[in-house]
Amino acid sequence: MSFGRLQDAIVQRAESNVLVVVGDPPAAERASARRILVPIIGLEYSFAAADLAAHVALAWDAELVLLSGAQTDLGAVVWRDREPSRVRAVARSVVEEAVFRGRRLGVRVSSRVHVGARPSDEIARELARAPYDLLVLGCYDHGPIGRLYLGSTVESVVARSRGPVAVLVAHGGTREQVR
């Protein structure tokens, strides 16, 4: 995925996290309530995206919806027990941490847990299920020097999204530290 040569260079050379917004901003006036969706996976950059979205939700008086999409087709090295109920319990504990952080700010927060083979499909299903004014994704740059690569899930979701997407790109760690 490329946001353009200049934008990619800025994201890659930044010494701190970078927020990239893709799409048109939400309409200034809305008859319906505003909603923000944030997929959560339990890593620091994911929680940073949820924290950022919570502050936007507070400013917009929006509902923050936190989605934990647990992946069931990961290898045995990652999941010793791939029983869906166990995977769902782990995903629930991850999303509840982010719920606590949002509610501590006074934000209306709800959570959803989806278990499936591909997180990007679960996020797309949630976006199709209900209207959202903004999707906020946290990720880190997986690419080699000179090429921005945000991962297949983020790239798939951004490409398929019909609304505005904010991508918080984390920097400052090795892949081993981020995993």
Side-chain angles (χ1 to χ4, degrees), residues 30-76:
R30 292 208 183 261
S32 62
R34 292 180 168 202
R35 300 178 77 209
I36 300 170
L37 177 64
V38 183
I40 298 291
I41 62 170
L43 297 176
E44 184 178 332
Y45 59 78
S46 178
F47 284 117
D51 292 344
L52 174 76
H55 286 280
V56 173
L58 191 60
W60 283 2
D61 190 30
E63 176 188 12
L64 178 62
V65 179
L66 300 167
L67 171 70
S68 184
Q71 196 171 350
T72 56
D73 65 349
L74 295 174

Side-chain angles (χ1 to χ4, degrees), residues 73-117:
D73 65 349
L74 295 174
V77 172
V78 177
W79 293 109
R80 282 180 253 152
D81 178 7
R82 286 185 273 165
E83 175 65 33
S85 63
R86 173 74 179 122
V87 173
R88 186 177 297 278
V90 171
R92 171 65 51 204
S93 68
V94 165
V95 80
E96 288 305 318
E97 168 65 21
V99 166
F100 170 78
R101 291 164 73 150
R103 288 186 178 150
R104 187 174 56 191
L105 293 173
V107 174
R108 289 179 290 128
V109 182
S110 61
S111 64
R112 304 206 188 307
V113 173
H114 292 265
V115 176

